[in-house]
């Protein structure tokens, strides 16, 4: 009996880059975690331990830092693109490259209402994500932007009612519940030639936040559909968006045993189990 | 402008089930984390907040516990199958179900060399994973088994040499290094009618461990290819296997500044960055 | 041979409370994780399994929710105090109570520059912490406020030089490095009768951030000493402060092998190992 | 106004050491995470940024690796002792040193029933912990051993009844419940001159496991008291033990709404909230 390789790929993950760009006293800070995956003519390493076509993952790590030094960029998308184009250009055995960049969120510390030039405070767990995929030498990169771990909560204007009633249902209809979720979204840019990925990202993020805050929600599904539509409306640069909204349940605590009424005031916040809702939207022709 | 739903699915994730089966004084313990995802006729919830076809994720949670009560099973695969078959049978709006079960590892506490009847100690972070996918009412489930977070380390018989040398290479050839990795593997069963998923799982796991321990490794790629082949050899019940082996680097600490030689003795253990190597193998016809 | 109980205590940890206070359309949101520990006459439970004086930890959990319903509070300090006073007042076997509250950070979503009435976005990993300790029935609570996981970074105005030079030193003097840390601080309030713990907390936090941003640092030790002094200056309500500042190293990446100079631009961000620096300051008489 | 330093200390935490000791083909593997904290004459660094007496935490990190190379040891206790003695001996400004070592658990892979010479599989999350404290130059170290994250579960022989009944109680008496906990224990050795810390550790760990498995538990408090007594009995080398046993609740799932009875079979496993029970025992004179 024998075995056949259906597919293989390899790379380096979680390469942690900090870059400081100094414009006089005003400093820009970029903190990225970078993953690189290569597809190509690597079968001999798998079948025979022959590494002559293998670019060491340690060398990939070096490239992240070298390319960060040698190039200007102002977004994770731009850095993902330049890395993804680098590999097939440099190594002819590489037929495909996927580069993912996760940018940590930092805000300038505000003193007397003024953002500081070089001191920052964490912007939280939210990540600005970007992926660039290059099919091979000379191919145009496909670019995806995104956000993950964008944790939001609204205390009202969320209902959930009239769903399937059967043996397995114990949840009651509600017209007013807390809606908490940690948004993960990715969207496909129409072109690599976007002049300002950061501005597009901010427009999309703000559009999603506005819908979350203001939309009367009858289902997580409905809200995320509205958020996706608002994102497509806000950014003509993108043509597709995927959203995943875990329902981070706030469960009303039963105060009846204590002779008290819970008027939608007192809840248990939970991590699990969680509702796990996804949708993918295309801009309609 | 408008938007079109390309795809949607939803469900409940991380439903945490403990089941104790008592055979007299001898107790069996199952601890699972379960994810359910449904595909089907749910668009009205997304587009109009109309939930009449929506099975609440809270109801899904209930089903996990109810089905655990009403059914016998002795593996995560068996439980995944019965849950995956339940949904399209019960709800005609469901056209596809994916159920993933992660089983926590528990070993019986050994007293005087004898495994205890009802006392257990954690078997570590390793998970026995299973996924059952049912395309629709009456369709046969596709079943995938697997292991994740199987952390292994060997202190010798691992080399890495003769890889690409160029501007970006700083890593030296080595004939003897530590090889540490956290194996994630998934394999496809030929049929749902396996009589003993646990036995097949153990044969596959042991075959992979044997290769890891005894194989002279010239590349992580080569070792994982051998592990995959051994798994296919060990279990005629499976026809495909995917492996992902992060290279959890142990980096020799430079003792030269202190007038000492590091004869492959003293290392820094690291979590990141990590080499990230994948392969998928089919049984050859 | 026999054993003597030196000390014992027990309680419930990580009780997760969400409280929504509605002032018309404007909603206040509190999310706490609460720990309760009791000291008292509990030895019989340890030595003989006699639980007649044991308040179940499940009952403690209930009390968190009941007291949250029955009382108004606007800070984790206030909630810690009312819980800590509740136990010795209610159970005569209780001689000491320690309640710790960790408040999750939420900010109102801003739409068109206006904070929203009921929609929030995560303020990040930073926690507002509070501990109230009551020695026994009728005793005044001791109250500690604090912050944890306040992650800050400055790209310049940090030096580290002229430290001990010997066989074990390989680090060079530097006049300009990145300084990143995750501040944990706790401070003791002079009295339980503080009218506004939130205002005091914010003054202390802002004073520490201002020092971090503006101080020319010659050592993490020096900066944290200045931060502590500024906190004491900013809040006459407190008389003691403890700070712990892990040094979350950003390590310059060596670009020399690639023929490049690293002008303090390109770094590796790391989690471990970390410098781990602590100080405790008292207001001088 | 001014501030006074009450206390200060600093050091390096989470220094990650791997050491391989080769006895022919048979290899010993040690993986440690090491924390060092120094107390001493360091105030000038805090008050004036004067680092002349500061041993850089980076130098401490170097010492961990250098001392691991230059010394033989076969337990985390032995390594903690040699590190703790090193600092006051080397630096006269050091008046106190606390070294904590956490050893990761590795088991040899068994092939055909035989433990392998150089291939290992993770022993899980459990850590073997050790702390050595040296008061100053020439002082004898105080040594503490311990275990953390020792996760155990028993499916029966655990009751909890006859506890306080009042307004806040909703939990029913039970004569049969699941008891799951993650044991953290630390114990004080009588002397630094223990010949075999590993054997003592194993005796203590096994004694605690035996009690956990075989003891009819009427309270977590009672079980941990018995475990502590058994540990003191099993190891004349120790004179004090502290235990902390979080109650990792398995909560019976309510099957009544589905017309089913839950005969202690079906549970929800939870991480929080958790009962949090502690005791400290001394050997009686």
């Amino acid at each position: 009996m024998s075995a056949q390789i259906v597919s293989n790929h390899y790379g380096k993950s979680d390469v942690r880059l900090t870059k400081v760009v100094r414009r006089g006293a005003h400093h820009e800070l970029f903190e990225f975690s970078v993953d690189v995956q290569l597809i190509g003519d690597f079968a001999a390493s798998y079948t025979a331990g022959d590494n002559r076509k293998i670019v060491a993952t340690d060398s990939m790590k070096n490239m992240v830092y070298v390319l960060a030094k040698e190039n200007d960029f102002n977004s994770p998308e731009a850095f993902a693109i330049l890395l993804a184009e680098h590999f097939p250009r440099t190594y002819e055995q590489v037929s495909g490259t996927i580069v993912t960049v996760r940018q940590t969120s930092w805000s300038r510390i505000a003193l007397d209402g003024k953002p500081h030039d070089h001191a920052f405070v964490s912007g939280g767990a939210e990540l600005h994500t970007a992926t660039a995929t290059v099919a091979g030498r000379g191919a145009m990169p496909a670019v995806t932007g995104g956000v993950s771990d964008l944790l939001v909560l609204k205390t009202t204007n969320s209902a959930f009612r009239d769903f399937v009633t059967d043996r397995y249902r114990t949840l009651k209809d509600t017209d007013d519940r807390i809606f908490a979720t940690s948004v993960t979204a990715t969207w496909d840019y129409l072109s690599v030639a976007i002049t300002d990925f950061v501005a597009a990202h901010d427009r999309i993020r703000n559009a999603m936040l506005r819908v979350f805050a203001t939309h009367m929600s009858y289902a997580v599904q409905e809200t995320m559909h509205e958020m996706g539509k608002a994102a497509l409306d806000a950014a003509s640069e993108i043509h597709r968006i995927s959203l995943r909204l875990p329902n981070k349940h706030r469960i009303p605590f039963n105060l009846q045993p204590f002779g008290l009424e819970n008027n939608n005031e007192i809840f248990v916040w939970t991590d699990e189990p969680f509702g796990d809702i996804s949708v993918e939207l295309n801009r309609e022709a």
Side-chain angles (χ1 to χ4, degrees), chain A:
Chain A
M1 196 229 59
S2 193
Q4 192 173 20
I5 296 178
V6 181
S7 69
N8 71 77
H9 50 94
Y10 81 101
K12 198 77 159 192
S13 291
D14 205 3
V15 181
R16 295 175 164 195
L17 165 70
T18 301
K19 182 170 183 180
V20 178
V21 179
R22 292 173 174 75
R23 314 191 196 285
H26 189 76
H27 294 187
E28 301 287 339
L29 171 68
F30 298 95
E31 294 213 311
F32 292 163
S33 166
V34 179
D35 300 347
V36 174
Q37 282 286 311
L38 300 186
I39 300 165
D41 180 13
F42 304 123
S45 176
Y46 288 88
T47 57
D50 174 346
N51 298 319
R52 284 174 296 172
K53 291 190 175 167
I54 293 289
V55 180
T57 66
D58 189 74
S59 302
M60 297 178 191
K61 178 203 70 185
N62 289 340
M63 286 178 233
V64 168
Y65 297 103
V66 168
L67 271 71
K69 164 68 185 179
E70 293 184 328
N71 294 275
D72 290 329
F73 51 86
N74 58 15
S75 68
E77 288 85 354
F79 190 61
I81 291 167
L82 70 90
L83 259 174
E85 289 182 322
H86 168 76
F87 285 93
R89 192 161 52 211
T90 311
Y91 305 103
E92 60 181 23
Q93 65 270 43
V94 173
S95 59
T97 309
I98 304 170
V99 174
T100 302
V101 178
R102 290 170 294 274
Q103 182 175 25
T104 308
S105 173
W106 288 102
S107 307
R108 293 175 187 278
I109 292 175
L111 295 183
D112 309 320
K114 222 186 105 191
H116 197 274
D117 267 343
H118 65 253
F120 301 83
V121 60
S122 170
E126 181 184 345
L127 298 173
H128 176 158
T129 60
T131 301
T133 307
V134 177
R137 190 179 295 236
M140 285 293 288
V143 185
T144 298
V147 70
S148 75
D149 297 285
L150 171 53
L151 187 56
V152 289
L153 180 154
K154 59 196 286 188
T155 52
T156 189
N157 283 358
S158 170
F160 184 52
R161 56 178 306 123
D162 301 328
F163 45 91
V164 171
T165 299
D166 66 358
R167 180 194 183 200
Y168 301 105
R169 173 172 173 178
T170 52
L171 190 68
K172 294 193 178 119
D173 277 1
T174 178
D175 290 311
D176 197 5
R177 60 173 184 175
I178 292 181
F179 178 7
T181 186
S182 172
V183 179
T184 297
T186 58
W187 46 84
D188 291 347
Y189 285 100
L190 282 160
S191 148
V192 69
I194 306 293
T195 50
D196 193 341
F197 284 108
V198 173
H201 181 95
D202 288 350
R203 260 184 284 125
I204 293 167
R205 181 183 182 278
N206 290 339
M208 294 194 299
L209 284 183
R210 178 177 294 269
V211 169
F212 177 80
T214 59
H215 177 248
M216 174 60 215
S217 172
Y218 291 99
V220 174
Q221 284 87 340
E222 189 198 16
T223 304
M224 73 198 300
H225 186 253
E226 291 298 316
M227 288 168 71
K229 286 200 299 180
L232 290 168
D233 281 345
S236 58
E237 298 95 330
I238 68 171
H239 63 93
R240 193 200 59 82
I241 184 166
S242 286
L243 295 109
R244 180 183 178 194
L245 264 66
N247 196 344
K248 319 248 320 166
H249 305 290
R250 268 59 182 167
I251 298 172
F253 188 80
N254 180 12
L255 289 170
Q256 287 188 338
F258 316 100
L260 298 168
E261 208 179 340
N262 190 350
N263 302 312
N264 216 11
E265 290 167 276
I266 305 294
F267 306 83
V268 185
W269 57 277
T270 66
D271 285 326
E272 85 291 327
F274 58 93
D276 198 355
I277 328 283
S278 295
V279 75
E280 184 179 354
L281 297 178
N282 256 351
R283 189 185 300 280
E284 214 163 65

